[in-house]
């Protein structure tokens, strides 16, 4: 699809990778960008940077009524960026919050599904376009110390494949972005070299514009993919070894 002149909606667009997408969309000539945020005030703060092209939207992707309202308001959308994410930093078994994994699945999987169902007919009615799902390297190899986050990204990746096949006849492309280490609040605890949010936004727009089904966006995700191809069992073991007590 063509990014210049498009109309996009970005979930979780008020900070981090979502804000990186908003900035890249504007720089690439998007006509309008709806910025979704759970708190409308956060989206309104972003809108102040370009009030002629940014439209703030109160949008919690786990609330069906807000997703439906957003789809009704943003009837000109041709591109959806499913960026909103939840990482509870809880393990699956050794957790003091058994509902954490459910919340991660609600945002990271069901939120993607809800937005795709609501906006696919909108995109189709506007002549076609695309959906970008911001996923994770933890969605191509299981990361036990990420708890429910890693399984939820696996699920969203599978959903991306299914939606791509189902929506193709409507003229709606689906791109899955595999993201590694990025300098965001969610990854503040990760002590490795990180890419910038705008790097992911730029990679994502390139991928959807070129009809790339799945794209590794940064050095970390590229390295994980290479390790997975070279030694999948070794990579799985290295992820599991991270759970071992430190001596």
């Amino acid at each position: 699809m063509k990014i210049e002149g498009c109309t996009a909606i970005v979930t979780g667009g008020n900070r981090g990778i979502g804000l990186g997408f908003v900035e890249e969309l504007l720089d690439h000539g998007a006509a309008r960008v709806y910025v979704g945020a759970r708190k409308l005030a956060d989206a309104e703060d972003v809108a102040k940077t370009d009030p002629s092209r940014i439209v703030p939207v109160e949008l919690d992707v786990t609330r069906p009524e807000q997703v439906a309202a957003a789809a009704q308001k943003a009837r000109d959308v041709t591109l959806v960026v499913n960026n909103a994410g939840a990482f509870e930093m809880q393990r699956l078994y050794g957790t003091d919050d058994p509902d954490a994994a459910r919340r991660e699945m609600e945002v990271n999987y069901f939120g993607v599904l809800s937005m795709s169902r609501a906006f696919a007919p909108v995109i189709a009615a506007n002549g076609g376009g695309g959906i970008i799902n911001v996923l994770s390297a933890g969605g191509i190899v299981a990361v036990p110390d990420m708890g429910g986050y890693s399984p939820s990204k696996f699920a969203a990746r599978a959903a991306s494949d299914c939606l791509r096949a189902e929506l193709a006849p409507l003229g709606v492309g689906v791109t899955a972005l595999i993201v590694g280490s990025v300098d965001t609040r969610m990854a503040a605890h990760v002590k490795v070299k990180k890419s910038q949010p705008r790097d992911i936004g730029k990679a994502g727009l390139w991928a959807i514009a070129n009809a790339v089904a799945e794209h590794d966006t940064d050095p970390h995700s590229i390295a994980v993919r290479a390790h997975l191809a070279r030694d999948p069992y070794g990579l799985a073991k290295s992820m599991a070894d991270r759970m071992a007590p430190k001596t």
Side-chain angles (χ1 to χ4, degrees), residues 190-205:
V190 179
K191 306 302 181 184
V192 298
K193 186 176 181 180
K194 302 173 186 177
S195 298
Q196 294 302 307
R198 288 194 66 161
D199 296 334
I200 309 305
K202 186 177 296 183
L205 296 185

Side-chain angles (χ1 to χ4, degrees), residues 57-73 114-115 118:
V57 179
E58 184 177 23
L59 180 55
D60 180 337
V61 297
T62 69
R63 296 181 62 177
E65 72 279 8
Q66 290 194 1
V67 173
Q72 186 60 41
K73 178 176 183 176
S114 181
M115 286 290 295

Side-chain angles (χ1 to χ4, degrees), residues 108-200:
N108 301 340
Y109 172 72
F110 286 109
V112 167
L113 186 55
S114 181
M115 286 290 295
S116 299
R117 285 171 171 168
F119 276 94
V122 174
I123 296 171
N126 289 323
I131 296 172
I132 296 174
N133 295 330
V134 180
L135 306 181
S136 170
I140 62 174
V141 60
V143 185
D145 62 3
M146 282 186 168
Y149 180 83
S150 185
S152 72
K153 291 297 186 177
F154 265 90
R157 184 187 179 208
S160 299
D161 290 342
C162 294
L163 287 167
R164 186 179 305 114
E166 190 173 1
L167 298 181
L170 301 180
V172 181
V174 178
T175 288
L177 296 186
I178 307 303
V179 179
S181 296
V182 186
D183 189 12
T184 65
R185 190 170 74 181
M186 183 182 287
H189 65 290
V190 179
K191 306 302 181 184
V192 298
K193 186 176 181 180
K194 302 173 186 177
S195 298
Q196 294 302 307
R198 288 194 66 161
D199 296 334
I200 309 305

Side-chain angles (χ1 to χ4, degrees), residues 9 16 18 82 100 104 122 127 138 157 170 194-195 206 224 227-228 236:
I9 184 166
N82 283 315
E104 287 168 324
V122 174
R157 184 187 179 208
L170 301 180
K194 302 173 186 177
S195 298
W206 175 86
V224 170
H227 195 165
L228 185 64

Side-chain angles (χ1 to χ4, degrees), residues 88 95-105:
E88 298 284 344
T95 178
D96 55 8
D97 184 0
D99 288 330
R102 188 181 301 277
R103 292 195 297 273
E104 287 168 324
M105 193 66 77

Side-chain angles (χ1 to χ4, degrees), residues 35-53:
V35 173
R38 286 180 297 171
K39 295 181 180 179
L40 184 59
D42 292 338
E44 289 173 338
D45 285 342
V46 179
K48 293 174 184 176
T49 64
D50 194 336
S52 66
R53 289 193 291 166

